[in-house]
Structures are given as structure tokens and as C-alpha cells.
């Protein structure tokens, strides 16, 4: 996984509440059992003029030349709600998105972001709106800076501090594989299971009929 | 916290699965059961195999075919979703190679993951169960800690038997009082989400309690817990009780012989102690509730069925979100929901497709007919539900009324790329999501209880099942 430390990026405002994972990557765009080949289908319902088509909808923010190469998004409340599909995050990452600022994230989506090198930044709705106003004035020039070690987003002269628990922060900073981290605790897991097996044998002994 | 401090049920579930506290407030939690399906589980199995990692305990991993598989009679591996067959075949091969339990397309126990897991006794009180599917919270109704995860986390659970997570805060929502006739668990979910918002549960593990929840049967509790994800909660759950134990006894994967008695004895401890403190507590008086229906594109956009589309101020939506929802749904403020013409009706999904749902819907339908021009579909949640419904003759009632009677699966609860309702069609649906394009490109979904769905199908317009006397009889 690509680590995240700092980023200064063209940031596209997509401030709608409840942008769900099916809007981010419609199910019809998940064509094979794969984590790749998804960027083309990102926001397909909004990005293209026709369902399943590829004719560009010039209105959609990510299609506007000023936002070309955007690596960050500004979103509305409950960003990433709906289906748990990690394809939404894989599509965003493949498209080049590295950070998302929103007033709130759906829990599964937020955790999927962290596991794929995308920084979820939670700020107040007013703060998100303020950043959007500044960005919109000059999308190419007004780039938003993200500093994960300091937990600060900078837009114009304003700095916005954001909260992130230490585990997701570490995972993003180091680009860590959580499985490897957990396997370091194999001894603790084994001893838990030994005790638990006596306590709750039915958990482990699944006969089925 | 001393041993005598009253604990919440969630605290007990958490402690029982705590393998180790890690730095930064993260816990390593033991995962008792993993469930997968062909839409998102396939990629987890494939990716794990490509990484050269093994599943620690395949006997505790289950997989079903529900999301992509067709629900048309005579179905096989071919599906209407372009490329869908490959998902089914790859999932089957990966599941067999991994040695996990598979409920394949033609398995008599096949069905929607959150319907078959309780039905087969895979989820048990006091278990942790995860699935790369957001509605895994449904299974909390059995008294389990059940939640949806992403595919990468699923790989983690498969490879380590654990998950790393920060402890959620606790919330209790007490539904107190007696439900009026015709008001159901679905309506409780919609009332809660409309009242506290679609992010009202963000960061919380939510215990549903109170006299109205105690009075619900297990299938209704599954409906209630189903929509915890639409509340943005980590999960929702209900303390297990005698009804839970009676529901589970004798099911396929429950503890056998003497283990059963021991298990039940330990499950009796799974309740919030008197005096246990929650981070947040809400109380909802249910005695004056009515059937609910959504008017917009978020589950929080819900009102009582006899009400009108609310003003922006009353809706709690932002100006932009409100305008967008009205335009999408093609409605105006002040428009009564009752009488709004519909194109389709759908009874199905992990929210409302169990046999009790079908019984209640059939009671409204009996002797009546779907209005001309309305496409009506019923999809039982599992093959076992379908068999039971057929044994009771419910299928005849649905079919005689003009409903399609399907094989089990997710079907048109969501648009997978194959079958769907048409653009701009207005669908009254017993599902859980009314998002834009959820049931097909540009479909307009109103979610409601199965009773409201079938009453609307008969009327050809949004209708209130409590007005049964006014619904035309064939
Ligand atoms: S029935 Fe619908 S909500 Fe439930 S698991 Fe299937 S697609 Fe998801």
C-alpha cells in the first residue's frame, strides 16, 4: 500500500450529502473479480451522459479541465454510505484520489480508505464549505495541502486540524499491511483460542447436520 | 472498571472477544464466523490466495450465492448480469479450493446471506460475525456482534481469525409501548432514522431494547437490526432471550447435545445489566406510530404513509439535498404520498423476505389483484423460506394476485447490471435503500413494509394496508 504523509493537490468539490458507494462505482461497472480496471467506472452515472456509455458529461466536476488531475475531493455528509464494496475505494485510488474531506464518512468506507492509502479527513460542514469556496475561485492555483503527521489541512491561509485515531494514522503513514501486523500477535491469538475453546466449544466445533 | 460495575451488553460481547489491547486504543478482536458472497467475497478469497495466505479455520467460514445469481425459475450459473457467470464460477472454485462451507446456486439452503445465517444457526448469541456486506448488522438480532466490513478486512479475518478495531461508543434505543395493528419493525427502523438522521448512529454500536422490541418475534428483530447501517451505526443488536433460544433450537449449525444447554446458560448472561451506562440513550414511544414510507432518496426521508412530502425545514435535509431529492423523485412539497401512482412493487431483500413477512403480505393480498400495469415481484429470502411459504399455499395467493414468484436471492433489491426496474419507474419496495438508481438506473424507490408494498400494488398507487376495506376485492 502506498504510504501517505503530505500532499498538495487540486481538490474537486462534490458536496452532496449521502454520496453512496454505488454512485462512486456502480455495480454494473464491477465487471470482473478484480481490484483493478475500475477507474473508468468511477462516478460513471455522473461522469458520462448515458448509462453504460463513455460520452463525457461536461457538467460533472471531475470532467472540467480546471480540475484535471485532482487528487483530493470535498464531499458532503455521510460520504461513502451504502454497500460495503471496497471497489469504491479501489476505483478512487486508481483514478488518483489520495484524500477526501467530508463532514462525516460511513464507517466501512472510512476503514476501506485507510486500508488503501486514501486519507479520510473529517471537518465541519462550514469548514468544508469554506475550503470549497476558496478552491472554486481558482481550482488550478488554489491547491489544498494535507499534512498527516501534523493532522492539518491548509487552504489559503487557514489551517484546519482534523482528528484521526492513531492506528489508521500509523497504517497510512507507514503503508502497513494489517495482516502482517496482526500475525506478530500469533501467540496471543493462540492462547486466547485455547482458553476460549474450553469456554465456548460450540464456536469451534461446527458439526452441522 | 471493577467486576461489579454494571456492563452493557456490548461491553460483554467486546470483552469476550478481546484477544489483546494494542497501542492507540486498538483492540485485536476474535472473529467467530465469517460469511462471504459472490459479489464481494469472491475478491477476498482470490486476493488471499494470490498473496499465498491460508484461511486459519475454514470450518468457520461460509459462503452463499445471492447477489448476482438470477432469481428466475430454472436458474443456473447463467445470469442476466453481464459477466455475472464468471463471478459465480470463480466464487465456487475459490470456495471449494479453500474448503469453506458453500451454499451454491442449487443448494436447498441457498439464500440471502443475512436470511440464511440465522435460519441455519450459523450466527449464534454472543458470536462475532463479519461479512463484506453492509447489512451484516441484521444478524445482531440474534444477540451477536455482527457487522459489515470491506474485502481487505475480510482477508484479514480469514487469515488471522481476528480483526483490529477501535471500540465503538454505545447507544441504546428503547422502543417503548405497544405497536398499533399494521405497524411493524420496518416502521420502527424508518421512524428512528427519520428522527435521528442517517448519520445518527455514526460511531456507535446500537442496542435496541424496550417493551416493543421485547414483544417482537425474531424475524421482526432481524428487520429492525437490518437498517442499522442506514443509521450509519457500526451495528445494531438485541439481547437474546427465550424467543431467541427457541428460534435457534434444532437448526442446522447450532451447538449439539450437551453443548446446547451450556451455550444457552451462557447466553442468558448476554444482557445489559441494570444501571449500565450508555454513551447515548434515546427513547421512542411507539404507541402512536403509523406505517412509514420514504418520499426521497435517503432512508431518513421518511414520513407516515398518510402524510405529505414535508417542507425542507421539516425534512431535516440540506437545501441542496432536498431539491435534488424532490427532482429525482419527481414530487413537490405538500404532495400527499397516498395516491401517488406506481409502476412496480417489490417484496424481498434481507430486510423483509422472511416467511412472516410473506404471511403478512399474503393476508393483505388474499382475494385481491395487482392493479393493471403494475409489475409486482416477490422474492423469498431463502429457498427454505420459499419451501415453507409454498407449504402454506402463500405462493398461490401471490401468483393469483399477479405477483411473480421467484427463486431466492437479492434480486432487484439492487441493480447488479442485469435485471432492473426501468428509468423513472416508481417502485414501492420492502428493501432498505432508496438511493438514486439503487434498483436500476434512475428508478424511484419508496421503501416501506411488505404490507404497504402489497396494498400499493393492489391500488396501483401508494396505499395504506390499514385501509384494507377500501382496497378493491377481485
Ligand atoms: S438483499 Fe439487498 S440489501 Fe440485502 S444483502 Fe442483498 S443486495 Fe444487500
Amino acid at each position: 500500500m502506498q504510504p501517505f504523509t503530505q500532499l498538495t493537490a487540486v481538490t474537486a468539490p462534490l458536496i452532496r450529502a449521502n454520496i453512496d458507494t454505488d454512485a462512486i462505482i456502480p455495480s454494473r461497472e464491477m465487471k470482473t473479480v478484480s481490484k483493478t480496471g475500475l477507474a473508468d467506472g468511477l462516478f460513471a452515472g455522473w461522469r458520462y451522459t448515458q448509462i453504460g456509455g463513455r460520452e463525457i458529461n461536461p457538467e460533472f466536476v471531475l470532467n472540467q479541465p480546471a480540475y484535471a488531475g485532482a487528487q483530493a475531493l470535498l464531499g458532503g455528509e455521510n460520504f461513502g454510505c451504502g454497500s460495503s464494496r471496497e471497489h469504491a475505494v479501489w476505483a478512487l485510488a486508481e483514478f488518483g484520489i489520495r484524500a477526501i474531506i467530508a463532514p462525516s464518512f460511513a464507517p466501512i468506507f472510512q476503514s476501506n480508505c485507510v486500508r488503501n492509502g486514501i486519507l479520510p479527513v473529517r471537518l465541519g460542514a462550514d469548514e468544508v464549505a469554506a475550503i470549497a469556496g476558496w478552491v472554486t475561485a481558482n481550482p488550478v492555483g488554489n491547491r489544498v495541502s494535507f499534512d498527516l503527521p501534523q493532522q492539518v489541512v491548509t487552504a489559503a491561509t487557514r489551517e484546519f486540524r482534523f482528528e484521526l485515531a492513531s492506528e489508521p494514522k500509523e497504517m497510512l503513514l507507514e503503508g502497513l499491511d494489517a495482516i502482517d501486523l496482526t500475525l506478530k500477535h500469533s501467540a496471543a491469538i493462540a492462547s486466547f483460542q485455547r482458553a476460549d475453546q474450553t469456554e465456548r466449544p460450540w464456536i469451534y466445533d461446527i458439526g452441522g447436520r | 472498571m471493577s467486576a461489579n460495575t454494571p456492563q452493557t451488553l456490548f461491553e460483554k460481547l467486546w470483552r469476550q472477544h478481546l484477544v489483546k489491547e494494542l497501542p492507540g486504543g486498538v483492540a485485536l478482536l476474535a472473529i467467530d464466523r465469517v460469511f462471504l458472497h459472490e459479489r464481494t467475497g469472491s475478491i477476498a478469497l482470490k486476493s488471499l490466495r494470490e498473496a499465498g495466505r491460508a484461511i486459519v479455520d475454514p470450518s468457520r467460514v461460509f459462503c452463499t450465492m445471492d447477489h448476482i445469481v438470477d432469481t428466475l425459475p430454472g436458474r443456473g450459473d447463467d445470469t442476466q448480469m453481464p459477466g455475472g457467470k464468471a463471478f459465480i464460477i470463480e466464487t465456487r472454485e475459490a470456495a471449494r479450493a479453500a474448503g469453506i462451507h458453500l451454499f451454491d446456486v442449487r443448494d436447498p439452503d441457498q439464500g440471502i446471506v443475512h436470511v440464511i445465517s440465522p435460519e441455519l444457526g450459523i450466527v449464534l448469541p454472543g458470536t462475532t460475525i463479519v461479512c463484506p456486506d453492509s447489512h451484516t448488522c441484521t444478524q445482531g438480532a440474534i444477540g451477536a456482534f455482527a457487522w459489515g466490513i470491506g474485502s481487505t478486512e475480510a482477508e484479514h479475518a480469514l487469515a488471522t481469525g481476528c480483526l483490529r478495531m477501535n471500540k465503538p461508543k454505545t447507544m441504546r434505543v428503547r422502543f417503548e409501548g405497544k405497536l398499533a395493528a399494521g405497524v411493524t419493525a420496518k416502521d420502527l427502523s424508518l421512524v428512528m432514522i427519520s428522527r435521528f438522521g442517517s448519520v445518527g448512529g455514526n460511531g456507535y454500536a446500537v442496542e435496541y431494547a424496550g417493551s416493543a422490541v421485547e414483544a417482537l418475534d425474531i424475524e421482526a428483530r432481524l428487520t429492525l437490526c437490518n437498517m442499522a447501517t442506514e443509521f450509519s451505526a457500526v451495528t445494531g443488536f438485541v439481547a437474546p432471550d427465550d424467543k431467541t433460544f427457541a428460534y435457534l433450537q434444532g437448526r442446522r449449525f447450532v451447538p449439539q447435545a450437551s453443548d446446547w444447554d451450556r451455550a444457552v446458560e451462557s447466553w442468558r448472561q448476554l444482557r445489559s445489566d441494570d444501571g449500565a451506562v450508555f454513551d447515548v440513550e434515546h427513547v421512542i414511544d411507539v404507541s402512536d406510530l403509523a406505517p412509514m414510507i420514504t418520499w426521497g432518496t435517503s432512508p431518513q426521508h421518511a414520513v407516515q404513509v398518510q402524510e405529505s412530502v414535508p417542507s425542507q425545514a421539516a425534512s431535516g435535509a440540506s437545501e441542496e439535498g432536498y431539491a435534488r431529492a424532490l427532482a429525482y423523485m419527481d414530487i413537490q412539497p405538500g404532495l400527499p404520498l397516498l395516491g401517488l401512482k406506481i409502476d412496480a412493487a417489490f417484496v424481498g431483500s434481507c430486510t423483509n423476505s422472511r416467511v412472516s413477512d410473506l404471511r403478512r403480505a399474503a393476508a393483505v393480498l388474499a382475494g385481491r389483484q395487482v392493479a393493471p400495469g403494475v409489475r409486482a415481484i416477490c422474492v423469498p429470502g431463502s429457498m427454505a423460506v420459499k419451501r415453507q411459504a409454498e407449504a402454506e399455499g402463500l405462493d398461490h395467493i401471490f401468483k393469483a394476485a399477479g405477483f411473480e414468484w421467484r427463486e431466492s436471492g437479492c434480486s432487484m433489491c439492487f441493480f447488479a447490471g442485469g435485471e432492473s426496474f426501468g428509468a423513472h419507474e416508481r417502485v414501492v419496495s420492502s428493501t432498505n435503500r432508496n438511493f438514486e438508481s439503487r434498483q436500476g438506473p434512475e428508478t424511484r424507490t419508496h421503501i416501506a413494509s411488505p404490507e404497504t408494498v402489497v396494498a400499493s400494488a393492489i391500488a396501483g398507487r401508494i396505499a395504506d394496508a390499514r385501509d384494507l376495506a377500501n382496497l378493491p376485492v377481485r
Side-chain angles (χ1 to χ4, degrees):
Chain A
M1 181 181 106
Q2 195 182 358
F4 189 108
T5 44
Q6 274 108 3
L7 173 76
T8 297
V10 171
T11 301
L14 190 55
I15 305 187
R16 297 176 186 175
N18 304 309
I19 294 180
D20 65 279
T21 51
D22 194 73
I24 299 172
I25 181 87
S27 204
R28 61 178 179 275
E29 299 287 347
M30 296 156 53
K31 293 178 179 137
T32 60
V33 182
S34 173
K35 297 180 178 180
T36 58
L38 297 164
D40 230 26
L42 180 71
F43 295 121
W46 296 337
R47 225 164 115 204
Y48 307 117
T49 53
Q50 296 222 318
I51 299 295
R54 286 294 181 261
E55 193 190 317
I56 297 292
N57 166 17
E59 306 274 293
F60 185 61
V61 64
L62 291 174
N63 289 334
Q64 294 166 15
Y67 293 102
Q71 286 183 288
L73 293 178
L74 290 161
E77 187 154 67
N78 206 17
F79 197 98
C81 62
S83 154
S84 66
R85 68 185 65 157
E86 199 159 325
H87 304 71
V89 171
W90 295 329
L92 286 162
E94 190 177 308
F95 185 83
I97 301 298
R98 303 289 332 271
I100 304 168
I101 307 175
S104 58
F105 293 91
I108 304 172
F109 178 83
Q110 173 162 337
S111 145
N112 287 340
C113 280
V114 168
R115 277 155 185 79
N116 291 280
I118 294 182
L119 173 66
V121 175
R122 207 172 148 148
L123 293 179
D126 295 351
E127 298 174 313
V128 178
I131 299 173
W134 179 69
V135 162
T136 313
N138 179 7
V140 181
N142 291 353
R143 297 180 181 217
V144 178
S145 294
F146 300 81
D147 184 328
L148 177 54
Q150 299 302 319
Q151 295 179 224
V152 165
V153 165
T154 310
T157 53
R158 283 185 71 179
E159 289 195 344
F160 304 89
R161 241 197 95 72
F162 62 89
E163 296 302 321
L164 191 66
S166 62
E167 161 116 345
K169 182 174 175 179
E170 286 305 310
M171 285 179 67
L172 280 164
L173 282 173
E174 309 285 336
L176 293 176
D177 178 328
I179 295 182
D180 288 336
L181 285 183
T182 297
L183 290 176
K184 289 185 188 153
H185 302 286
S186 309
I189 298 172
S191 90
F192 172 90
Q193 287 192 347
R194 267 193 308 277
D196 196 37
Q197 229 146 5
T198 343
E199 202 58 33
R200 304 184 307 152
W202 58 87
I203 296 299
Y204 300 87
D205 175 25
I206 303 180
R209 275 173 285 188
Chain B
M1 190 182 276
S2 84
N4 300 331
T5 311
Q7 288 178 26
T8 66
L9 168 53
F10 186 73
E11 183 69 32
K12 295 179 186 181
L13 293 169
W14 184 266
R15 286 192 184 192
Q16 196 163 36
H17 293 88
L18 183 64
V19 173
K20 199 174 178 182
E21 308 247 22
L22 304 176
V26 177
L28 200 55
L29 278 196
I31 302 301
D32 298 329
R33 305 276 184 266
V34 180
F35 226 127
L36 304 169
H37 60 64
E38 84 280 29
R39 171 95 272 193
T40 55
S42 46
I43 185 73
L45 288 173
K46 184 176 175 178
S47 167
L48 198 67
R49 194 167 48 174
E50 283 169 3
R53 298 190 199 273
I55 296 179
V56 277
D57 190 352
S59 75
R60 294 193 278 139
V61 182
F62 300 80
C63 181
T64 186
M65 307 280 196
D66 56 358
H67 274 66
I68 292 173
V69 68
D70 268 0
T71 53
L72 296 165
R75 65 162 174 209
D77 288 357
D78 287 310
T79 76
Q80 305 207 18
M81 179 199 151
K85 187 176 184 177
F87 277 86
I88 291 172
I89 292 173
E90 284 193 53
T91 303
R92 175 181 300 132
E93 284 170 358
R96 285 192 184 148
I100 62 177
H101 303 267
L102 173 66
F103 306 107
D104 209 336
V105 179
R106 291 205 166 83
D107 193 296
D109 283 333
Q110 179 272 348
I112 304 171
V113 46
H114 316 304
V115 175
I116 64 174
S117 179
E119 191 174 82
L120 296 171
I122 291 169
V123 59
L124 298 171
T127 50
T128 46
I129 179 165
V130 294
C131 173
D133 189 283
S134 56
H135 289 99
T136 308
C137 52
T138 310
Q139 304 183 39
I142 302 296
F145 179 19
W147 73 106
I149 55 176
S151 302
T152 303
E153 282 200 279
E155 284 181 50
H156 187 287
L158 292 168
T160 68
C162 297
L163 279 179
R164 313 164 71 87
M165 76 188 294
N166 286 90
K167 192 174 178 179
K169 291 175 282 181
T170 55
M171 180 188 291
R172 179 161 64 182
V173 181
R174 279 170 36 216
F175 294 90
E176 299 289 358
K178 196 169 174 311
L179 287 175
V183 184
T184 67
K186 178 63 155 286
D187 305 308
L188 295 182
S189 283
L190 289 172
V191 163
M192 177 187 76
I193 297 167
S194 67
R195 203 168 286 183
F196 304 115
S198 57
V199 296
N202 195 294
Y204 293 92
V206 181
E207 177 173 351
Y208 299 115
S211 55
V213 173
E214 285 161 25
L216 294 177
D217 63 31
I218 300 304
E219 296 194 350
R221 292 179 190 175
L222 288 159
T223 299
L224 175 64
C225 292
N226 177 265
M227 291 183 70
T229 186
E230 276 66 47
F231 193 42
S232 197
V234 175
T235 189
F237 53 92
V238 176
D241 58 11
D242 285 333
K243 283 187 198 172
T244 319
F245 313 143
Y247 169 90
L248 287 172
Q249 194 157 23
R251 295 189 184 260
R252 183 169 163 193
F253 291 100
V254 300
Q256 303 293 297
S258 62
D259 269 356
W260 171 260
D261 297 331
R262 251 189 89 188
V264 171
E265 198 185 317
S266 79
W267 296 341
R268 288 193 191 283
Q269 314 305 314
L270 297 173
R271 44 183 294 282
S272 289
D273 297 328
D274 293 340
V277 178
F278 295 80
D279 294 306
V280 170
E281 187 143 28
H282 293 303
V283 181
I284 297 177
D285 175 5
V286 307
S287 42
D288 56 354
L289 297 184
M292 302 287 289
I293 191 161
T294 60
W295 52 267
T297 53
S298 158
Q300 96 177 30
H301 298 160
V303 291
Q304 299 194 348
V305 67
Q306 75 282 0
E307 290 181 319
S308 303
V309 177
S311 65
Q312 191 223 321
S315 76
S318 68
E319 200 176 318
E320 173 271 334
Y322 180 73
R324 202 179 152 84
L326 291 191
Y328 185 86
M329 296 299 288
D330 190 28
I331 49 173
Q332 305 79 39
L335 179 79
L337 270 310
L338 281 179
L340 199 55
K341 201 174 162 307
I342 64 165
D343 303 295
F346 183 81
V347 176
S349 89
C350 56
T351 323
N352 277 124
S353 65
R354 297 175 183 82
V355 75
S356 56
D357 297 313
L358 305 190
R359 281 182 195 133
R360 297 194 321 274
V364 177
L365 265 185
R368 296 185 166 82
Q369 205 101 49
V370 171
V374 172
R375 184 171 185 208
I377 300 173
C378 177
V379 188
S382 71
M383 292 312 283
V385 168
K386 181 170 186 252
R387 283 190 300 275
Q388 179 62 32
E390 289 175 353
E392 296 176 20
L394 304 182
D395 58 322
H396 291 300
I397 296 176
F398 276 97
K399 286 189 276 194
F403 266 79
E404 292 176 41
W405 180 254
R406 297 284 191 99
E407 305 293 305
S408 73
C410 297
S411 192
M412 283 150 80
C413 165
F414 86 119
F415 174 55
E419 249 193 312
S420 74
F421 295 104
H424 308 304
E425 282 191 1
R426 195 176 295 287
V427 189
V428 184
S429 184
S430 75
T431 54
N432 45 43
R433 285 187 178 138
N434 52 344
F435 298 165
E436 291 183 17
S437 301
R438 169 73 176 175
Q439 296 190 289
E442 292 175 59
T443 51
R444 296 175 176 140
T445 298
H446 297 267
I447 49 183
S449 68
E451 288 90 327
T452 304
V453 174
V454 295
S456 304
I458 297 163
R461 298 163 184 281
I462 291 176
D464 186 340
R466 296 172 304 173
D467 293 341
L468 201 58
N470 298 328
L471 292 176
V473 174
R474 169 175 39 196

